[in-house]
Amino acid sequence: MARHQTTPEQHSVRLLKVGEQVRHILSEILARQQVHDSTLSAHSVSVTEVRMTPDLRQATVYVKPLLGEDEEAVLKALRTNTAFFQREVAQRLKLKFAAKIRFRPDETFDEASRIDALLNDPRVKRDLED
C-alpha cells in the first residue's frame, strides 16, 4: 500500500486547522470556567493563538488576561492546570497523540503599543510628513 505524500502547503494548513481547533477548545473551557481554579475563575483569559509543531505533539498557546491584569498569576494558574487542559484537548480532538501544551504570554499587544508610541513621536511624524 502506497503512503500518501503531503505537500508543505497541505501540511501547514493542517497545522493551522488543528491549532485553531485547540484554540477554540481552550477558549471554551476558560469561558465556561470548567477549570476549578480561583485565579482563572476571577479573570477573563483570551487565547489569542496556538502554534502546533509539525508532528502535532506540542502546542504553544499564547494567552492574555483581560486588560493584562495579573498576567503572571494567570500564567502560573494555567501552567498548574496544564494536565487538565491536555486531557480535555486530547478527548475532544481525538488525535493519535495528545499535544503537550505550553502556555506563553502574548506580547503582540505590548509590541503594537510600542510601535504606536513610536509612530506618534513628534520626530517620527516630522519625518513621515516630508
Side-chain angles (χ1 to χ4, degrees):
M1 186 160 149
R3 185 174 181 175
H4 295 285
Q5 295 294 324
T6 58
T7 64
E9 292 82 17
Q10 291 170 328
H11 191 68
S12 66
V13 169
R14 181 154 193 254
L15 290 178
L16 291 172
K17 283 182 179 180
V18 172
E20 196 60 19
Q21 288 175 330
V22 171
R23 188 181 74 78
H24 281 284
I25 291 168
L26 293 174
S27 295
E28 182 181 325
I29 291 169
L30 290 168
R32 293 185 178 183
Q33 296 184 353
Q34 294 174 334
V35 183
H36 302 293
D37 187 288
S38 60
T39 304
L40 295 177
S41 297
H43 294 85
S44 293
V45 181
S46 296
V47 180
T48 57
E49 183 181 4
V50 175
R51 293 185 188 164
M52 302 296 296
T53 57
D55 62 359
L56 299 175
R57 289 189 185 229
Q58 291 187 359
T60 304
V61 179
Y62 294 93
V63 295
K64 189 76 169 176
L66 188 64
L67 303 174
E69 294 178 355
D70 301 327
E71 189 168 328
E72 287 303 317
V74 168
L75 279 171
K76 183 178 180 194
L78 288 169
R79 289 173 180 154
T80 301
N81 293 292
T82 299
F84 170 77
F85 289 114
Q86 287 176 183
R87 187 173 53 252
E88 286 295 313
V89 168
Q91 286 175 353
R92 295 182 191 193
L93 276 185
K94 297 179 177 83
L95 291 174
K96 187 174 182 179
F97 299 103
K100 183 177 185 306
I101 296 175
R102 294 182 313 203
F103 290 100
R104 301 277 187 259
D106 188 355
E107 305 292 337
T108 56
F109 296 108
D110 299 331
E111 187 66 18
S113 296
R114 188 184 72 78
I115 291 171
D116 196 39
L118 286 173
L119 291 174
N120 287 328
D121 187 327
R123 295 172 291 174
V124 174
K125 280 188 175 183
R126 181 190 68 223
D127 291 341
L128 291 174
E129 290 175 358
D130 290 344

